[in-house]
Amino acid sequence: MSQDNNTNTTKTTGHVWDNDLQELDNPLPRWWIWGFYITFLFTIVYWLFYPAWPIGNNYTKGVPGLNSITYTATQPNGEQVEKTTHWNMRSKFMVEMNELQEAQKKWFDKVAAMPFEDVQKDAELMQFVNSVGKTMFTDNCAPCHQQGAQGKIGFSPNLADDHWQYGGTYQNIEETIVAGRNGYMPPFKEVLQDEQITQLANYVLEMSGEPHDAEASKAGAALFRSETAACFYCHGENAQGKIQMGSANLTDKIWLWADIPGSKTDAAKLAEVKRVITGGLNRGVMPAWSGRLSPAQIKLLTVYVHDSLGGGK
Protein backbone atom coordinates (compact mmCIF):
# COMPACT_ATOMS: atom_id res chain seq x y z
CA MET A 1 0.00 0.00 0.00
CA SER A 2 2.87 2.36 0.80
CA GLN A 3 4.39 1.60 -2.59
CA ASP A 4 1.14 2.69 -4.33
CA ASN A 5 1.16 6.02 -2.46
CA ASN A 6 4.70 6.78 -3.62
CA THR A 7 4.01 5.94 -7.24
CA ASN A 8 4.29 9.08 -9.48
CA THR A 9 1.39 8.81 -11.92
CA THR A 10 0.39 11.36 -14.58
CA LYS A 11 -2.83 13.22 -13.82
CA THR A 12 -5.60 13.23 -16.39
CA THR A 13 -8.86 15.12 -16.75
CA GLY A 14 -10.76 11.85 -16.89
CA HIS A 15 -11.62 12.25 -20.55
CA VAL A 16 -10.91 9.10 -22.54
CA TRP A 17 -11.43 8.38 -26.25
CA ASP A 18 -11.12 5.09 -28.05
CA ASN A 19 -10.51 3.34 -24.71
CA ASP A 20 -6.86 4.44 -24.44
CA LEU A 21 -6.56 8.06 -25.64
CA GLN A 22 -6.56 10.25 -22.51
CA GLU A 23 -6.50 14.02 -21.98
CA LEU A 24 -3.61 14.91 -19.67
CA ASP A 25 -3.87 17.56 -16.95
CA ASN A 26 -0.30 18.87 -16.81
CA PRO A 27 0.25 22.31 -15.21
CA LEU A 28 1.24 25.26 -17.44
CA PRO A 29 4.94 26.25 -17.43
CA ARG A 30 5.75 28.81 -14.76
CA TRP A 31 7.36 31.19 -17.29
CA TRP A 32 4.17 31.19 -19.37
CA ILE A 33 2.04 32.04 -16.33
CA TRP A 34 4.31 34.95 -15.35
CA GLY A 35 4.31 36.15 -18.94
CA PHE A 36 0.52 36.22 -18.87
CA TYR A 37 0.50 38.22 -15.63
CA ILE A 38 3.00 40.73 -17.06
CA THR A 39 0.99 41.28 -20.25
CA PHE A 40 -2.15 41.76 -18.15
CA LEU A 41 -0.40 44.42 -16.05
CA PHE A 42 0.92 46.05 -19.23
CA THR A 43 -2.62 46.27 -20.57
CA ILE A 44 -3.78 48.14 -17.46
CA VAL A 45 -0.86 50.57 -17.71
CA TYR A 46 -1.54 51.08 -21.40
CA TRP A 47 -5.19 51.91 -20.69
CA LEU A 48 -4.05 54.56 -18.22
CA PHE A 49 -1.44 56.24 -20.43
CA TYR A 50 -2.96 55.99 -23.91
CA PRO A 51 -6.49 56.41 -25.29
CA ALA A 52 -7.66 52.90 -25.84
CA TRP A 53 -10.92 51.88 -24.18
CA PRO A 54 -14.25 52.73 -25.84
CA ILE A 55 -16.90 54.27 -23.63
CA GLY A 56 -20.18 54.71 -25.50
CA ASN A 57 -19.55 57.31 -28.20
CA ASN A 58 -16.22 58.27 -26.64
CA TYR A 59 -13.04 56.61 -25.39
CA THR A 60 -10.50 56.92 -22.60
CA LYS A 61 -8.10 59.83 -23.09
CA GLY A 62 -5.27 58.54 -20.90
CA VAL A 63 -3.76 60.36 -17.91
CA PRO A 64 -4.09 64.13 -18.55
CA GLY A 65 -0.74 65.84 -19.00
CA LEU A 66 1.28 62.64 -19.32
CA ASN A 67 0.66 61.93 -22.99
CA SER A 68 -0.28 65.27 -24.52
CA ILE A 69 0.90 66.16 -28.04
CA THR A 70 1.35 69.68 -29.43
CA TYR A 71 1.45 70.39 -33.15
CA THR A 72 0.88 73.20 -35.64
CA ALA A 73 -2.23 72.98 -37.81
CA THR A 74 -3.23 75.05 -40.84
CA GLN A 75 -6.77 76.41 -40.78
CA PRO A 76 -8.96 76.58 -43.95
CA ASN A 77 -8.19 80.32 -44.18
CA GLY A 78 -4.45 79.59 -44.21
CA GLU A 79 -3.83 80.69 -40.62
CA GLN A 80 -1.51 78.45 -38.61
CA VAL A 81 -2.49 77.67 -35.03
CA GLU A 82 -0.85 75.57 -32.34
CA LYS A 83 -2.98 72.77 -30.92
CA THR A 84 -2.47 70.55 -27.88
CA THR A 85 -4.43 67.32 -27.56
CA HIS A 86 -4.23 63.86 -26.02
CA TRP A 87 -2.12 61.22 -27.74
CA ASN A 88 -3.71 59.74 -30.87
CA MET A 89 -2.52 58.58 -34.25
CA ARG A 90 -3.83 61.68 -36.02
CA SER A 91 -1.98 64.09 -33.73
CA LYS A 92 1.13 61.89 -33.93
CA PHE A 93 0.93 62.08 -37.72
CA MET A 94 0.61 65.88 -37.54
CA VAL A 95 3.72 66.07 -35.36
CA GLU A 96 5.66 64.00 -37.89
CA MET A 97 4.37 66.19 -40.71
CA ASN A 98 5.51 69.31 -38.83
CA GLU A 99 8.95 67.78 -38.39
CA LEU A 100 9.12 66.87 -42.09
CA GLN A 101 8.03 70.36 -43.16
CA GLU A 102 10.63 71.91 -40.88
CA ALA A 103 13.33 69.70 -42.38
CA GLN A 104 12.20 70.61 -45.91
CA LYS A 105 11.84 74.32 -45.23
CA LYS A 106 15.51 75.16 -45.76
CA TRP A 107 15.41 73.45 -49.16
CA PHE A 108 12.20 75.19 -50.20
CA ASP A 109 13.70 78.52 -49.08
CA LYS A 110 16.77 77.79 -51.19
CA VAL A 111 14.65 77.05 -54.26
CA ALA A 112 12.59 80.20 -53.69
CA ALA A 113 15.69 82.40 -53.41
CA MET A 114 17.49 81.14 -56.53
CA PRO A 115 16.80 81.88 -60.21
CA PHE A 116 15.27 78.98 -62.12
CA GLU A 117 18.41 78.37 -64.15
CA ASP A 118 20.60 78.17 -61.01
CA VAL A 119 18.29 75.62 -59.40
CA GLN A 120 18.65 73.40 -62.46
CA LYS A 121 22.47 73.59 -62.22
CA ASP A 122 22.58 72.57 -58.53
CA ALA A 123 22.74 68.74 -58.52
CA GLU A 124 22.00 68.40 -54.80
CA LEU A 125 19.07 70.77 -55.01
CA MET A 126 17.70 68.97 -58.06
CA GLN A 127 17.62 65.74 -56.06
CA PHE A 128 15.28 67.50 -53.64
CA VAL A 129 13.24 68.92 -56.53
CA ASN A 130 12.83 65.48 -58.11
CA SER A 131 11.91 63.80 -54.83
CA VAL A 132 9.39 66.38 -53.61
CA GLY A 133 8.24 67.36 -57.10
CA LYS A 134 7.24 63.80 -57.96
CA THR A 135 5.08 63.61 -54.83
CA MET A 136 3.54 67.02 -55.45
CA PHE A 137 2.81 66.13 -59.08
CA THR A 138 1.21 62.84 -58.04
CA ASP A 139 -0.97 64.51 -55.42
CA ASN A 140 -2.04 67.57 -57.42
CA CYS A 141 -1.43 67.13 -61.16
CA ALA A 142 -1.57 63.41 -61.98
CA PRO A 143 -5.39 63.11 -61.63
CA CYS A 144 -5.65 65.10 -64.88
CA HIS A 145 -2.26 64.81 -66.58
CA GLN A 146 -1.77 61.12 -65.63
CA GLN A 147 1.04 59.69 -63.53
CA GLY A 148 3.64 59.91 -66.28
CA ALA A 149 2.46 63.40 -67.37
CA GLN A 150 1.53 61.98 -70.78
CA GLY A 151 -1.92 63.55 -70.59
CA LYS A 152 -5.09 62.17 -72.13
CA ILE A 153 -6.65 63.01 -75.49
CA GLY A 154 -9.88 64.92 -75.00
CA PHE A 155 -9.01 65.85 -71.44
CA SER A 156 -5.51 67.13 -70.65
CA PRO A 157 -2.28 67.92 -72.55
CA ASN A 158 0.96 65.96 -72.50
CA LEU A 159 3.54 67.68 -70.27
CA ALA A 160 6.41 65.37 -71.18
CA ASP A 161 6.96 66.55 -74.74
CA ASP A 162 8.38 69.79 -76.15
CA HIS A 163 5.09 71.23 -77.40
CA TRP A 164 3.43 73.91 -75.29
CA GLN A 165 0.30 75.81 -76.22
CA TYR A 166 0.98 78.50 -73.62
CA GLY A 167 4.77 78.35 -73.82
CA GLY A 168 7.27 76.07 -72.13
CA THR A 169 9.66 78.51 -70.44
CA TYR A 170 10.00 78.58 -66.66
CA GLN A 171 7.98 81.77 -66.57
CA ASN A 172 5.25 80.38 -68.84
CA ILE A 173 4.86 77.21 -66.79
CA GLU A 174 4.85 79.10 -63.50
CA GLU A 175 2.18 81.46 -64.83
CA THR A 176 0.07 78.49 -65.91
CA ILE A 177 0.28 76.85 -62.48
CA VAL A 178 -0.37 80.10 -60.60
CA ALA A 179 -3.33 81.42 -62.59
CA GLY A 180 -4.63 78.33 -64.37
CA ARG A 181 -5.85 78.28 -67.97
CA ASN A 182 -9.25 78.50 -69.61
CA GLY A 183 -9.04 77.41 -73.23
CA TYR A 184 -11.90 78.23 -75.57
CA MET A 185 -12.77 77.78 -79.23
CA PRO A 186 -16.11 79.07 -80.56
CA PRO A 187 -18.50 76.65 -82.30
CA PHE A 188 -18.92 77.10 -86.05
CA LYS A 189 -22.15 75.17 -86.54
CA GLU A 190 -24.13 78.38 -86.88
CA VAL A 191 -21.48 80.17 -88.94
CA LEU A 192 -20.42 77.64 -91.57
CA GLN A 193 -22.27 75.14 -93.71
CA ASP A 194 -21.49 71.44 -93.36
CA GLU A 195 -19.61 71.47 -96.67
CA GLN A 196 -17.38 74.30 -95.45
CA ILE A 197 -16.71 72.49 -92.17
CA THR A 198 -15.75 69.40 -94.18
CA GLN A 199 -13.34 71.49 -96.24
CA LEU A 200 -11.70 72.97 -93.14
CA ALA A 201 -11.44 69.52 -91.55
CA ASN A 202 -9.67 68.17 -94.62
CA TYR A 203 -7.22 71.08 -94.54
CA VAL A 204 -6.46 70.43 -90.85
CA LEU A 205 -5.83 66.76 -91.65
CA GLU A 206 -3.53 67.67 -94.53
CA MET A 207 -1.42 69.95 -92.32
CA SER A 208 -0.75 67.01 -90.01
CA GLY A 209 0.02 64.57 -92.80
CA GLU A 210 -3.22 62.62 -92.42
CA PRO A 211 -5.30 61.18 -95.30
CA HIS A 212 -7.55 63.86 -96.80
CA ASP A 213 -9.48 65.01 -99.83
CA ALA A 214 -7.05 67.24 -101.77
CA GLU A 215 -9.73 69.33 -103.50
CA ALA A 216 -11.66 69.89 -100.28
CA SER A 217 -8.42 70.72 -98.46
CA LYS A 218 -7.55 73.39 -101.05
CA ALA A 219 -10.91 75.06 -100.49
CA GLY A 220 -10.41 74.69 -96.75
CA ALA A 221 -7.04 76.47 -96.91
CA ALA A 222 -8.70 79.50 -98.52
CA LEU A 223 -11.56 79.36 -96.04
CA PHE A 224 -9.07 79.14 -93.15
CA ARG A 225 -7.64 82.54 -94.09
CA SER A 226 -10.92 84.15 -95.07
CA GLU A 227 -13.04 86.52 -92.99
CA THR A 228 -15.85 83.99 -93.11
CA ALA A 229 -14.16 81.39 -90.88
CA ALA A 230 -11.31 83.63 -89.72
CA CYS A 231 -9.39 80.68 -88.24
CA PHE A 232 -6.14 82.57 -88.78
CA TYR A 233 -7.12 85.11 -86.12
CA CYS A 234 -6.40 82.58 -83.40
CA HIS A 235 -4.26 79.91 -85.04
CA GLY A 236 -2.12 82.32 -87.09
CA GLU A 237 -1.51 82.58 -90.82
CA ASN A 238 0.84 79.59 -90.66
CA ALA A 239 -1.62 77.64 -88.45
CA GLN A 240 1.06 77.12 -85.82
CA GLY A 241 -0.98 78.68 -83.02
CA LYS A 242 -0.31 81.60 -80.72
CA ILE A 243 1.25 81.17 -77.27
CA GLN A 244 -0.40 84.35 -76.03
CA MET A 245 -3.85 82.87 -76.69
CA GLY A 246 -3.05 79.23 -76.10
CA SER A 247 -4.41 78.33 -79.54
CA ALA A 248 -3.31 74.95 -80.86
CA ASN A 249 -0.59 74.36 -83.41
CA LEU A 250 -2.40 72.57 -86.25
CA THR A 251 0.79 71.47 -88.01
CA ASP A 252 2.65 69.52 -85.30
CA LYS A 253 0.71 66.23 -85.57
CA ILE A 254 -0.14 66.44 -81.86
CA TRP A 255 -3.82 65.94 -81.08
CA LEU A 256 -5.52 66.88 -77.84
CA TRP A 257 -9.22 67.40 -78.55
CA ALA A 258 -9.71 65.36 -81.73
CA ASP A 259 -8.85 61.72 -81.11
CA ILE A 260 -7.11 61.08 -84.40
CA PRO A 261 -4.71 58.40 -83.00
CA GLY A 262 -7.71 56.44 -81.74
CA SER A 263 -9.66 56.68 -85.00
CA LYS A 264 -9.41 53.50 -87.09
CA THR A 265 -10.60 54.81 -90.46
CA ASP A 266 -10.12 57.93 -92.57
CA ALA A 267 -13.82 58.71 -92.24
CA ALA A 268 -13.56 58.51 -88.45
CA LYS A 269 -10.63 60.92 -88.44
CA LEU A 270 -12.54 63.40 -90.58
CA ALA A 271 -15.55 63.09 -88.28
CA GLU A 272 -13.38 63.81 -85.22
CA VAL A 273 -12.02 67.05 -86.66
CA LYS A 274 -15.48 68.11 -87.85
CA ARG A 275 -16.85 67.49 -84.38
CA VAL A 276 -14.36 69.93 -82.86
CA ILE A 277 -14.96 72.60 -85.51
CA THR A 278 -18.72 72.22 -85.31
CA GLY A 279 -19.14 72.26 -81.53
CA GLY A 280 -16.12 74.31 -80.52
CA LEU A 281 -14.36 73.77 -77.20
CA ASN A 282 -14.98 75.03 -73.72
CA ARG A 283 -13.38 72.19 -71.75
CA GLY A 284 -9.73 73.22 -71.66
CA VAL A 285 -9.92 74.43 -68.08
CA MET A 286 -7.04 74.12 -65.63
CA PRO A 287 -7.66 75.45 -62.10
CA ALA A 288 -5.46 78.09 -60.54
CA TRP A 289 -3.12 76.73 -57.87
CA SER A 290 -2.33 80.07 -56.28
CA GLY A 291 -3.66 79.79 -52.73
CA ARG A 292 -3.63 76.00 -52.83
CA LEU A 293 0.15 75.75 -53.06
CA SER A 294 2.68 78.18 -51.61
CA PRO A 295 4.86 80.26 -53.97
CA ALA A 296 7.86 78.09 -53.07
CA GLN A 297 5.90 74.91 -53.86
CA ILE A 298 4.75 76.33 -57.19
CA LYS A 299 8.31 77.30 -58.10
CA LEU A 300 9.61 73.83 -57.23
CA LEU A 301 6.81 72.22 -59.25
CA THR A 302 7.67 74.52 -62.16
CA VAL A 303 11.28 73.33 -62.14
CA TYR A 304 10.13 69.71 -61.89
CA VAL A 305 7.81 70.02 -64.90
CA HIS A 306 10.37 71.97 -66.94
CA ASP A 307 13.51 69.93 -66.22
CA SER A 308 12.46 66.52 -64.92
CA LEU A 309 9.45 65.68 -67.06
CA GLY A 310 11.32 66.57 -70.25
CA GLY A 311 8.89 69.26 -71.32
CA GLY A 312 10.96 72.43 -70.98
CA LYS A 313 11.38 74.57 -74.06
Side-chain angles (χ1 to χ4, degrees):
M1 191 69 177
S2 59
Q3 291 179 348
D4 293 338
N5 290 337
N6 293 331
T7 301
N8 186 16
T9 60
T10 302
K11 295 182 179 180
T12 69
T13 62
H15 299 156
V16 180
W17 294 271
D18 296 334
N19 297 324
D20 60 352
L21 183 61
Q22 303 181 26
E23 182 181 2
L24 302 181
D25 189 20
N26 293 326
L28 292 170
R30 191 173 299 275
W31 66 265
W32 192 96
I33 295 176
W34 280 108
F36 173 76
Y37 291 153
I38 291 172
T39 55
F40 182 77
L41 291 174
F42 173 80
T43 302
I44 296 176
V45 173
Y46 189 91
W47 284 349
L48 293 176
F49 280 86
Y50 292 94
W53 193 251
I55 304 175
N57 293 330
N58 210 328
Y59 54 89
T60 57
K61 302 296 192 301
V63 178
L66 293 182
N67 59 346
S68 298
I69 291 184
T70 301
Y71 62 91
T72 301
T74 303
Q75 303 287 48
N77 61 3
E79 179 185 0
Q80 290 190 331
V81 296
E82 194 173 83
K83 291 187 176 183
T84 300
T85 182
H86 60 276
W87 190 98
N88 57 74
M89 290 303 297
R90 180 176 297 178
S91 60
K92 178 64 175 175
F93 173 74
M94 290 303 299
V95 169
E96 293 175 352
M97 287 297 295
N98 288 166
E99 293 173 349
L100 177 62
Q101 291 172 1
E102 185 64 28
Q104 290 182 342
K105 186 178 184 302
K106 66 175 184 178
W107 294 99
F108 272 110
D109 290 345
K110 192 173 182 181
V111 170
M114 295 174 62
F116 286 110
E117 292 76 10
D118 291 345
V119 174
Q120 192 273 336
K121 295 176 184 177
D122 190 320
E124 186 178 19
L125 195 55
M126 280 303 296
Q127 288 183 351
F128 175 73
V129 168
N130 289 331
S131 176
V132 176
K134 183 177 181 180
T135 301
M136 289 178 58
F137 188 91
T138 299
D139 292 344
N140 301 287
C141 311
C144 291
H145 293 284
Q146 311 301 304
Q147 186 62 48
Q150 73 274 17
K152 185 177 181 180
I153 293 179
F155 186 61
S156 60
N158 185 347
L159 303 182
D161 57 22
D162 287 331
H163 301 272
W164 295 83
Q165 286 186 220
Y166 292 94
T169 67
Y170 288 115
Q171 290 72 23
N172 292 147
I173 297 173
E174 184 179 44
E175 180 184 350
T176 297
I177 299 174
V178 169
R181 297 296 182 183
N182 191 0
Y184 175 75
M185 173 179 165
F188 285 85
K189 59 183 177 181
E190 303 295 338
V191 179
L192 302 175
Q193 299 175 359
D194 184 70
E195 182 183 5
Q196 293 175 308
I197 293 177
T198 300
Q199 292 169 346
L200 279 175
N202 274 282
Y203 178 56
V204 171
L205 289 172
E206 179 185 8
M207 286 189 288
S208 290
E210 296 290 343
H212 61 281
D213 183 303
E215 184 177 349
S217 176
K218 184 177 180 180
L223 189 60
F224 184 92
R225 294 168 178 82
S226 71
E227 293 296 332
T228 302
C231 305
F232 69 96
Y233 280 170
C234 294
H235 294 284
E237 285 283 351
N238 57 7
Q240 292 182 0
K242 296 180 180 180
I243 290 176
Q244 299 84 351
M245 301 178 64
S247 54
N249 183 345
L250 303 180
T251 68
D252 58 8
K253 301 183 180 181
I254 295 177
W255 302 92
L256 174 56
W257 302 112
D259 188 10
I260 300 303
S263 300
K264 304 300 183 182
T265 64
D266 295 348
K269 293 180 179 181
L270 180 64
E272 273 292 296
V273 180
K274 288 183 63 176
R275 176 183 60 80
V276 174
I277 299 174
T278 301
L281 292 168
N282 195 22
R283 294 178 288 129
V285 178
M286 172 178 166
W289 290 92
S290 177
R292 306 186 189 192
L293 300 176
S294 69
Q297 288 175 315
I298 290 176
K299 187 171 184 179
L300 184 144
L301 192 55
T302 298
V303 176
Y304 178 74
V305 172
H306 185 281
D307 294 306
S308 299
L309 293 182
K313 184 177 181 181

